[in-house]
Amino acid sequence: MSADEAATPGDEAAHGTRVAPPGTDTAEASTDTPGARTETPEAGPAQPEERVLRLGDVLGRDAGGLVVLLVLFGGLTLASDEFLTGGNLGNLARQVAIFGIIAAGELLVILTAGIDLSVGSVLALTGCVTAELLVHGWPVPAAILVGLLVGTVLGVFNGAMVARAKLPPFIVTLGMLGIARGVVLVITDASTIQPLPPSFSAVANGSVLGVPNLLWIFLIVIALTAFVLRRTVFGRYVYAVGSNPESARLSGVPVTAVLISVYALSGLLAAVGGVLFASRLSAGIPTGGAGYELNAIAACVIGGASLFGAKGGAFGAAAGALIVGTLNNGGNLLAVNAFYLEIIIGGLILAAVFFDQLQARRRASAASP
């Protein structure tokens, strides 16, 4: 037997040490005398930190646009007695609805880090095609269906050029902007198409429960877009493609199909806007929709969408459309020069992009070690 094994309790006391029995924690054996040992209280379970629920937690990036919209509404209410009247709000709804619908389609493209500059020209072409068919005696439903089909086909073409031919979205849709505008000017000889049937005019100019049809259609489009983006697999695919298309492809996302689909939906919603535009004016206007693509992009960006993709929502785009429309409407009520309004809208776009990039840099610096 070794010397260590032969040590007796007396020897341990003589040397002032205590040998821990097998299985005893060494921290307990490190004390020399009785009473010198201190008990360390065990920590209880960690309590969750209380946190106040904020608007941004519920609505995400859409919250900023909604806050700006509420402030704008409050300011115009104080500045003009006519702003909150039923007649003015009805006009505001009709002004906003058409390019707000286009903004919903534009949002889908922007979420994939693309852009669609052709929506204004597609609006004019589809509206005039529908009007031309009505003038030649086509039934209203059939003429509307053809107009929607034309817009969808043009969107599919844009998507195929981007997804399969690998062309930049800016170049593809800029080319389609010129093509669609040129075609509509050729087929109409740059002339207004009228008169149109009263039943067609009633589509945009009618009302249900005292609310303009245009506003109902706008709300339905926004609600469906929000549902698709938040609650469906396709919506998750759209955000995945916008975040990183190569990673999305390796994860099994059909990137090509998603890209073609979002451009097709953008073309379809531009066609919806074109049909409603022709219905509202009871005429096919070949020069209509000029600048609507910029208003749609402005609505998305002001509403929180990022031009770099994967960030934004339908309610934010709707709020952005309302902000742009409310600025124009309020400017008319207050007799503000329309040129100043363009400056303000441009400044809002720059400010939205600047703060988006500033937040992205802050998040990146916070995540870095």
Side-chain angles (χ1 to χ4, degrees):
M1 186 168 59
S2 65
D4 292 336
E5 295 175 331
T8 64
D11 296 329
E12 297 166 12
H15 292 287
T17 60
R18 183 164 59 92
V19 178
T24 304
D25 185 68
T26 56
E28 297 181 2
S30 62
T31 55
D32 295 337
T33 60
R37 196 174 146 194
T38 59
E39 297 282 343
T40 303
E42 295 184 2
Q47 297 295 326
E49 182 182 355
E50 293 185 1
R51 185 168 178 267
V52 178
L53 189 65
R54 298 177 299 177
L55 183 63
D57 299 325
V58 179
L59 297 175
R61 295 174 64 89
D62 297 349
L66 293 174
V67 170
V68 172
L69 180 62
L70 291 175
V71 172
L72 189 58
F73 259 71
L76 289 175
T77 300
L78 296 175
S80 173
D81 295 334
E82 299 179 5
F83 179 71
L84 281 184
T85 60
N88 183 66
L89 292 179
N91 290 333
L92 176 61
R94 293 183 181 92
Q95 293 168 6
V96 169
I98 293 178
F99 77 79
I101 291 170
I102 297 174
E106 188 74 51
L107 172 70
L108 295 173
V109 175
I110 288 176
L111 289 175
T112 62
I115 198 166
D116 190 351
L117 298 176
S118 66
V119 290
S121 297
V122 171
L123 177 147
L125 177 58
T126 54
C128 286
V129 167
T130 303
E132 191 74 45
L133 295 176
L134 290 171
V135 167
H136 286 81
W138 280 54
V140 172
I144 291 176
L145 185 61
V146 171
L148 298 180
L149 183 61
V150 169
T152 305
V153 169
L154 295 178
V156 169
F157 177 82
N158 286 340
M161 290 295 98
V162 172
R164 296 192 180 278
K166 307 300 182 184
L167 298 179
F170 181 88
I171 299 300
V172 171
T173 58
L174 181 63
M176 181 55 69
L177 180 153
I179 292 171
R181 184 67 66 180
V183 169
V184 69
L185 291 173
V186 168
I187 65 175
T188 63
D189 198 22
S191 301
T192 300
I193 305 171
Q194 58 183 0
L196 301 182
S199 57
F200 177 69
S201 300
V203 173
N205 295 314
S207 62
V208 176
L209 301 176
V211 178
N213 289 345
L214 281 174
L215 181 57
W216 283 117
I217 297 171
F218 171 57
L219 293 176
I220 291 171
V221 168
I222 292 299
L224 288 175
T225 304
F227 176 80
V228 167
L229 289 175
R230 293 187 175 196
R231 302 296 181 184
T232 67
V233 174
F234 176 75
R236 291 193 288 271
Y237 284 173
V238 169
Y239 284 104
V241 171
S243 177
N244 190 321
E246 183 60 23
S247 296
R249 184 185 65 81
L250 295 175
S251 301
V253 175
V255 175
T256 299
V258 170
L259 287 174
I260 293 176
S261 297
V262 296
Y263 282 94
L265 289 171
S266 179
L268 172 62
L269 291 176
V272 171
V275 170
L276 294 175
F277 187 82
S279 174
R280 183 187 174 200
L281 300 178
S282 299
I285 312 294
T287 56
Y292 272 42
E293 60 277 351
L294 300 181
N295 283 333
I297 294 170
C300 294
V301 174
I302 293 172
S306 172
L307 293 175
F308 299 95
K311 297 176 183 177
F315 295 123
L322 284 169
I323 289 170
V324 174
T326 303
L327 282 172
N328 290 324
N329 180 268
N332 292 333
L333 292 177
L334 301 176
V336 177
N337 191 324
F339 299 139
Y340 288 118
L341 296 177
E342 293 185 8
I343 295 173
I344 293 172
I345 293 171
L348 284 175
I349 296 174
L350 291 177
V353 174
F354 172 78
F355 284 111
D356 177 67
Q357 290 301 294
L358 182 63
Q359 290 179 352
R361 286 195 293 268
R362 286 178 176 176
R363 285 193 296 267
S365 62
S368 61

